[in-house]
Amino acid sequence: MSEPVKIALDAMGGDHGPCVVVPGALSALEQHPNLHLILVGNEDEVNAHLVKNGGDRFKDRISVRHASQKVEMDESPATALRSKKDSSMRVALNLVKENQAAACVSAGNTGALMAIARFVLKTLPGIDRPAIMKTLPTDKGVVRLLDLGANVDCSAENLFEFGVMGSVYAQAIENMPSPRVALLNVGHEEIKGSEEVKKASAIFAASPLNYTGYVEGNGIFFGEADVIVCDGFVGNVSLKVIEGLAKLIALFLQQEFKRNIFTKLAGLVALPVLKQLKNRIDPGKYNGASLLGLKGIVLKSHGGAGVDSFACAITSAVLEVEKNVPALIHSELDSILSKREAN
């Protein structure tokens, strides 16, 4: 039997805290027999939720680590870093640093998680800035988009590093031999885009990555690339627009099907198709954004994630641990940089 995968969970993070984290943890334990979890947070609260959800059945694969503080969702990253040294988030990340856990999963404050993770774990050699990457559904499978908000202003070299990290991730997790990497831009033509994007394009073109050029926003979901790179400002705005549009379409569908008796009947007839559609685009299935470029594995769950969605984030962490993604990123970037220096 292979070595157990140990993952630390920020049990107090997110909109729901242990109400979601504990049952989500138990669900993940059911799915992964080799998984061991460390729940970090207020010991009394966490234990109460374990009792409520029948956690005794996993008593040999789950433990609780007390933390006296929690990072609030609206707390500034600087305050969380400076004043919350015994927060559930910080303690969970410390467990990764001390090799007591192979990864950390948190639904807490994104800015605080990135700031604390970068301070505690540090970045990999050759990585100037870590990036947030999320998997999104497309008509042909999935696409990985980064950065989603960690770095508002990026140099061409930063964008290239993001591309390397995203490419390595796709190779490892999806077993893709040569993932297609593209830059998100305002057009396909080489003359379009900011100066940094143009410089990044030249760096990508001269690299061993499978660089396919520019992709526009309307091409994200149509299989034009496996990894799409942009700065954190563009990426975060794009993600929020995508989330907002999905909610708007769902709202419009509800309103139309409730308009009168005939549309209600049509809704009943279409119900199986609508359920299939919901299943294909369900954001919960893709929950868990990776903080790439750190000397450790950190997954950010959506703050409002439900039980099943949080379990999905844990599953993503398990896969990254099994594939040893940070080591692969370090190896690939080191190889690329060595070849560039030799030339």
Side-chain angles (χ1 to χ4, degrees):
M1 187 174 179
S2 59
E3 286 292 315
V5 175
K6 295 184 179 180
I7 294 177
L9 306 182
D10 171 11
M12 312 307 290
D15 297 337
H16 310 294
C19 295
V20 161
V21 173
V22 172
L26 299 179
S27 176
L29 287 168
E30 289 177 349
Q31 298 171 43
H32 304 283
N34 207 35
L35 176 63
H36 289 234
L37 295 175
I38 306 170
L39 301 182
V40 184
N42 183 289
E43 195 169 14
D44 291 338
E45 284 189 55
V46 174
N47 282 327
H49 282 280
L50 282 171
V51 171
K52 179 181 178 181
N53 291 277
D56 275 355
R57 65 191 190 276
F58 296 114
K59 61 183 179 181
D60 295 332
R61 296 168 54 205
I62 197 166
S63 61
V64 179
R65 180 67 64 91
H66 181 67
S68 62
Q69 300 173 304
K70 63 178 286 188
V71 175
E72 303 296 340
M73 295 299 282
D74 59 352
E75 197 161 6
S76 78
T79 301
L81 180 61
R82 184 175 58 253
S83 306
K84 297 290 182 73
K85 295 182 180 179
D86 196 43
S87 68
S88 54
M89 183 183 289
R90 179 73 169 263
V91 175
L93 288 166
N94 281 337
L95 290 174
V96 178
K97 179 185 178 182
E98 296 160 4
N99 294 318
Q100 295 184 50
C104 167
V105 180
S106 173
N109 181 319
T110 304
L113 182 64
M114 176 58 84
I116 297 173
R118 188 171 183 179
F119 178 79
V120 171
L121 300 176
K122 313 303 182 190
T123 56
L124 289 165
I127 298 292
D128 181 39
R129 301 181 185 182
I132 301 173
M133 186 195 72
K134 186 172 177 61
T135 300
L136 300 170
T138 73
D139 66 331
K140 297 179 177 63
V142 297
V143 65
R144 287 163 181 87
L145 183 65
L146 73 165
D147 176 34
L148 296 179
N151 309 281
V152 174
D153 296 309
C154 296
S155 68
E157 285 290 342
N158 294 148
L159 295 173
F160 177 67
E161 290 170 11
F162 299 164
V164 172
M165 294 191 291
S167 178
V168 168
Y169 186 97
Q171 286 180 49
I173 302 301
E174 295 294 333
N175 297 314
M176 289 183 176
S178 185
R180 297 165 299 157
V181 181
L183 278 165
L184 189 59
N185 200 6
V186 295
H188 289 280
E189 300 86 353
E190 286 297 322
I191 61 170
K192 291 188 175 180
S194 68
E195 287 304 311
E196 291 302 325
V197 167
K198 292 176 184 176
K199 290 177 184 176
S201 183
I203 297 172
F204 273 109
S207 79
L209 297 180
N210 182 14
Y211 177 60
T212 58
Y214 298 142
V215 61
E216 295 183 73
N218 58 7
I220 292 174
F221 297 106
F222 295 98
E224 294 185 22
D226 303 304
V227 177
I228 298 178
V229 176
C230 58
D231 65 51
F233 181 88
V234 171
N236 192 267
V237 170
S238 298
L239 182 64
K240 295 300 169 58
V241 169
I242 291 165
E243 292 174 345
L245 180 59
K247 290 178 181 178
L248 181 65
I249 292 172
L251 176 62
F252 280 177
L253 283 171
Q254 290 177 3
Q255 290 175 344
E256 291 303 318
F257 280 125
K258 292 179 179 179
R259 189 171 295 279
N260 54 54
I261 186 64
F262 300 107
T263 57
K264 288 179 181 179
L265 289 172
L268 287 174
V269 174
L271 193 58
V273 175
L274 293 173
K275 285 183 177 179
Q276 281 294 104
L277 174 62
K278 182 180 179 182
N279 183 59
R280 288 187 67 182
I281 64 174
D282 180 11
K285 291 173 59 179
Y286 306 95
N287 185 42
S290 301
L291 275 58
L292 298 180
L294 298 167
K295 292 180 180 177
I297 295 170
V298 182
L299 271 289
K300 168 65 175 74
S301 167
H302 193 286
V307 173
D308 292 340
S309 296
F310 192 82
C312 286
I314 297 174
T315 293
S316 294
V318 171
L319 289 173
E320 289 195 32
V321 172
E322 291 176 344
K323 298 292 186 177
N324 198 2
V325 170
L328 293 175
I329 289 173
H330 172 51
S331 176
E332 178 69 8
L333 187 61
D334 186 58
S335 174
I336 290 174
L337 293 178
S338 295
K339 289 176 182 177
R340 285 171 64 181
E341 289 176 2
N343 294 331

